[in-house]
Amino acid sequence: MRFRPAAPEDAAVAVPLIYSSGPVAFDYVFTTRDGGDARAFLQHCFVDGAGEFGWRNHWVGQVEGKVVAVGAGFGAEAKWRFTLAAARQILRHYGLRRGLGVIARGLRVESVIQPPHGDMHYLAHLAVLPELRGHGVGRALIDQLVGMARDVGRSRVVLDVAASNPRAEALYRRAGFKVVGERKSRLANERGRVPDHRRMERIID
């Protein structure tokens, strides 16, 4: 297992993995009634490279040269850079009318899955190919991203996990994370209900 920074050519594997890390929330925000597709938007962002969903913000794990995992880690200082990139990407991909609705839904989701603040180092979009789950790849990905947080001087790593995903929560607990809060969700549309989310935290020694 080796890790490296993501690259644009990883999109074919990385984008479906990113989507799988939170499909209901992604569909709630980025899928539109007139055919706009969340995965198509994530593809647009990943290849563009900028912002939270861009390839520059991700690392991939490889086994025998094949991408099998993806994840991201960033601090609160990225907020405005990510916000500006997201606005540009949304308006370019959806146009003004549809884009304003996407932005509004994204802001609503932030009431459930809040961006990092203060000294937090936030882990996001953690995903492993289904056939390799339960084989230590997810734990290796977390250890890699936590190690990177330590290297840049962070002392607190946080993530959010859907309350409907106990398997992922159990993995994070084994990796040293503890639940420090839970946010209830009332967000729903024809594509589904965004689940409640639990915030988990690990203090780095």
Side-chain angles (χ1 to χ4, degrees):
M1 185 82 183
R2 63 178 289 266
F3 293 93
R4 62 166 174 81
E9 54 268 27
D10 296 320
V13 177
V15 171
L17 284 174
I18 292 169
Y19 173 78
S20 75
S21 71
V24 179
F26 284 137
D27 282 340
Y28 174 83
V29 177
F30 299 122
T31 297
T32 62
R33 291 175 179 172
D34 57 356
D37 180 75
R39 281 166 287 196
F41 176 69
L42 292 174
Q43 172 85 15
H44 169 81
C45 295
F46 188 87
V47 173
D48 177 73
E52 180 179 346
F53 304 116
W55 61 266
R56 292 185 179 89
N57 190 45
H58 288 84
W59 281 68
V60 296
Q62 290 183 304
V63 173
E64 297 179 353
K66 178 183 177 182
V67 172
V68 299
V70 67
F74 50 90
E77 71 280 354
K79 177 180 179 179
W80 293 114
R81 175 165 50 88
F82 283 2
T83 298
L84 291 173
R88 175 179 59 80
Q89 291 163 341
I90 288 168
L91 294 175
R92 180 173 295 175
H93 186 76
Y94 292 97
L96 180 60
R97 182 183 59 82
R98 291 194 302 165
L100 290 176
V102 170
I103 291 170
R105 291 192 297 275
L107 291 172
R108 288 196 288 271
V109 165
E110 287 189 358
S111 69
V112 179
I113 309 170
Q114 292 186 345
H117 61 271
D119 64 346
M120 292 178 179
H121 192 84
Y122 190 75
L123 304 189
H125 316 152
L126 307 178
V128 175
L129 287 179
E131 60 267 30
L132 291 180
R133 292 171 189 167
H135 294 275
V137 177
R139 179 60 185 270
L141 173 65
I142 293 167
D143 289 345
Q144 169 73 18
L145 294 172
V146 169
M148 293 170 59
R150 181 185 291 112
D151 290 345
V152 297
R154 307 288 191 188
S155 60
R156 185 164 59 123
V157 181
V158 300
L159 55 80
D160 287 291
V161 61
S164 57
N165 192 352
R167 183 173 180 174
E169 182 176 330
L171 169 63
Y172 302 144
R173 287 183 184 274
R174 292 195 298 271
F177 287 81
K178 296 180 180 180
V179 174
V180 294
E182 182 169 344
R183 295 186 187 88
K184 300 296 183 181
S185 171
R186 295 186 176 90
L187 303 178
N189 57 20
E190 60 270 24
R191 289 166 292 282
R193 176 185 175 275
V194 177
D196 301 340
H197 275 71
R198 293 172 182 150
R199 175 145 288 185
M200 303 186 74
E201 179 179 282
R202 174 177 165 181
I203 303 301
I204 302 178
D205 299 328

